[in-house]
Amino acid sequence: MLKIMKITCPLLFLLYILSGCNVLESPTTLIKPPKLEEDQSILVNAVQAVLPSGAKLLSPVEKGDSSPYSLIDLDQDDIDEAVVFYYDLKTYELIGLVFIEVKGTWRLDQTISGFGIELYDLQFADVTGDHNLEIIAGYANGVLEKGLNIYHWQKGNIQPLFDTAYSKFIVDDLNQDGLNELTVLLVNRGVSAEVTSYLYKQNGFIALDQMLLDEFGSYENVISGFVTNDKKGLVLDIQVGAHAAYTEVLLLEQNQLQKASEEMENITWKEYPVNSEDVDMDGIIEIGKLIPPVGFEDESYASTPYITSYYQWYVKDGLELKVQRFYEYQKGFYFEFPMKWNDLLTIENSNENEFSFITIDEGKLVFNVISVPVEEWEPEENTYELGRNHEYVFITTVNNAELRTYFHLQ
């Protein structure tokens, strides 16, 4: 059974970079449960009826394994439209289709012609200020060539509004004036990198401002949202070397792009990129850094069990620690430190299957996580199961129910 996405609100957008290794975050979406299977089959049959032979339905690359069918109320009349893209293997064309539902029957209303071989991004948001949602599609001819296209749909009509080359893009009201801006990052690594904020005005997009960025950086993660209690910003996590990365925060003040702080690169410097995100779910984006535990300051990068610390930026005070976690990516878990542990504990890894959190002054065990391969697992006295995945059972020898709640599977 094919999956059908139900999208019910404008989306914030992530951006995708041209070069380097890319760690992408999925955009924040609200997805309703799919309709009944018989309704799904009606739409699927309607789409299949108009597809030419040799057509391949496309899911957005950026979303991974998602449905090629998007149900979205474009004109905000409480009735969903369906948006589907396909690539014609015979004519080498990329085509988008907009279907409308009339009395229980889906019929094709409009067709979009795209340029590329992949549908890289597909998002829906109001970028014209009319409270309807535009179709925002990113087409790709491989990794190094991507084009962004925006379409405005009304029943019986579809109008292209904008197209540009892009690496990543985001839609958000950065200056908090009640209108969404389209902000586009375009990178030709080693040559140029620029970010431009556009506003739809008088039937077209105008560039509010443009800023040059680090052309040697690999932009691993770019998100937008509140960066303080009252300021929105664009947050870019940038890798500049094998063991060098930093985070930049941009503001749109009086329609001018500016760095939140000239010291941001220095105060956010880290060995590896860490995706910024709203870790503590307080509505404000935190910036990640990697901190070597006490005793590991002179160890190699590969052998250091870094503590990932997330900070909130303050206009005057720099960074304030909000959350600390130890991630074990290979085994698939993380342990979140209680705030009272700050600067009091370090990590000891006596072997590859056990991590212990001990006090700095006395070396006293406070908590530990032991990974036992599933096939070797046998319950033992004085051990407490924390969780399990398909490879490991995770246990601790510390009898503390509160601390066990800080363990999380990834």
Side-chain angles (χ1 to χ4, degrees):
M1 175 62 65
L2 290 171
K3 298 177 288 182
I4 297 181
M5 291 191 301
K6 172 80 172 184
I7 304 173
T8 62
C9 68
L11 305 180
L12 297 179
F13 300 94
L14 295 181
L15 304 98
Y16 182 78
I17 188 61
L18 292 174
S19 55
C21 59
N22 298 285
V23 180
L24 300 175
E25 297 244 349
S26 298
T28 302
T29 62
L30 292 179
I31 302 178
K32 291 183 180 178
K35 293 185 176 181
L36 298 175
E37 289 189 6
E38 59 181 335
D39 292 337
Q40 291 186 23
S41 64
I42 293 173
L43 173 58
V44 170
N45 290 337
V47 172
Q48 293 296 329
V50 302
L51 289 180
S53 61
K56 176 186 176 183
L57 289 177
L58 300 176
S59 298
V61 174
E62 189 274 335
K63 288 186 178 179
D65 184 21
S66 63
S67 172
Y69 297 86
S70 297
L71 289 176
I72 178 73
D73 183 7
L74 293 172
D75 55 4
Q76 301 293 281
D77 64 352
D78 296 324
I79 300 174
D80 286 333
E81 289 72 47
V83 180
V84 183
F85 283 81
Y86 71 89
Y87 184 70
D88 194 322
L89 297 174
K90 291 184 177 180
T91 64
Y92 307 108
E93 293 180 304
L94 194 155
I95 303 295
L97 307 174
V98 181
F99 285 79
I100 61 174
E101 188 176 12
V102 180
K103 297 181 179 179
T105 300
W106 288 96
R107 65 176 177 84
L108 178 61
D109 183 74
Q110 293 296 313
T111 300
I112 301 168
S113 295
F115 299 93
I117 60 176
E118 291 181 311
L119 176 67
Y120 200 89
D121 289 285
L122 179 62
Q123 308 293 345
F124 308 94
D126 176 18
V127 291
T128 62
D130 66 353
H131 305 295
N132 296 328
L133 307 184
E134 279 67 51
I135 301 170
I136 307 176
Y139 306 123
N141 276 319
V143 176
L144 296 179
E145 294 183 30
K146 292 200 299 178
L148 186 66
N149 289 259
I150 300 178
Y151 308 92
H152 179 75
W153 176 87
Q154 289 181 319
K155 189 178 297 184
N157 181 57
I158 194 160
Q159 178 184 2
L161 299 181
F162 185 72
D163 66 89
T164 186
Y166 84 106
S167 302
K168 298 187 178 185
F169 71 95
I170 198 163
V171 174
D172 200 353
D173 182 10
L174 295 178
N175 60 8
Q176 298 175 259
D177 65 352
L179 299 173
N180 284 330
E181 297 86 36
L182 169 69
T183 301
V184 176
L185 174 69
L186 181 60
V187 178
N188 183 3
R189 195 170 181 188
V191 178
S192 64
E194 58 190 36
V195 60
T196 308
S197 285
Y198 297 91
L199 180 67
Y200 187 83
K201 190 175 182 180
Q202 297 178 347
N203 299 320
F205 283 88
I206 61 171
L208 295 177
D209 196 22
Q210 184 177 87
M211 175 182 285
L212 298 179
L213 300 175
D214 183 354
E215 67 270 25
F216 296 102
S218 176
Y219 292 76
E220 300 296 311
N221 175 57
V222 182
I223 60 173
S224 69
F226 281 98
V227 294
T228 69
N229 289 324
D230 57 2
K231 287 182 179 290
K232 274 192 169 185
L234 196 67
V235 183
L236 306 94
D237 297 313
I238 308 165
Q239 184 170 0
V240 291
H243 303 292
Y246 68 97
T247 297
E248 194 66 84
V249 178
L250 305 182
L251 306 176
L252 187 63
E253 300 278 344
Q254 298 180 341
N255 291 339
Q256 300 292 308
L257 287 165
Q258 57 185 265
K259 292 183 178 181
S261 169
E262 292 298 330
E263 294 299 316
M264 192 65 70
E265 179 177 340
N266 292 330
I267 63 177
T268 64
W269 194 261
K270 63 210 84 176
E271 286 79 7
Y272 301 101
V274 179
N275 282 1
S276 299
E277 57 182 307
D278 181 10
V279 176
D280 57 1
M281 305 300 289
D282 66 349
I284 301 172
I285 296 171
E286 282 81 41
I287 297 170
K289 295 181 65 175
L290 297 175
I291 308 299
V294 172
F296 287 87
E297 293 85 356
D298 297 325
E299 294 291 325
S300 67
Y301 295 116
S303 61
T304 300
Y306 287 101
I307 297 171
T308 304
S309 300
Y310 293 92
Y311 299 83
Q312 183 176 320
W313 172 67
Y314 284 87
V315 175
K316 294 181 180 180
D317 301 325
L319 301 178
E320 178 183 354
L321 179 64
K322 303 292 285 187
V323 175
Q324 284 190 310
R325 291 176 177 172
F326 170 71
Y327 285 93
E328 221 305 352
Y329 294 103
Q330 291 185 338
K331 293 184 172 61
F333 74 85
Y334 71 87
F335 186 84
E336 186 160 317
F337 289 7
M339 284 302 294
K340 61 185 178 182
W341 284 15
N342 184 26
D343 297 330
L344 299 177
L345 286 94
T346 187
I347 296 175
E348 180 181 90
N349 57 328
S350 54
N351 61 70
E352 63 179 12
N353 290 322
E354 181 174 359
F355 290 91
S356 299
F357 307 104
I358 61 175
T359 58
I360 293 174
D361 53 354
E362 299 177 345
K364 178 182 177 182
L365 175 66
V366 179
F367 198 74
N368 63 347
V369 178
I370 303 171
S371 308
V372 182
V374 170
E375 63 273 13
E376 300 176 12
W377 164 244
E378 292 182 5
E380 297 182 12
E381 189 176 357
N382 299 322
T383 63
Y384 307 89
E385 184 173 336
L386 300 169
R388 61 177 67 195
N389 56 27
H390 65 286
E391 290 188 80
Y392 296 98
V393 177
F394 302 101
I395 62 173
T396 183
T397 61
V398 177
N399 184 11
N400 188 313
E402 178 185 356
L403 290 181
R404 293 200 292 271
T405 66
Y406 288 90
F407 173 90
H408 301 273
L409 295 172
Q410 288 184 279

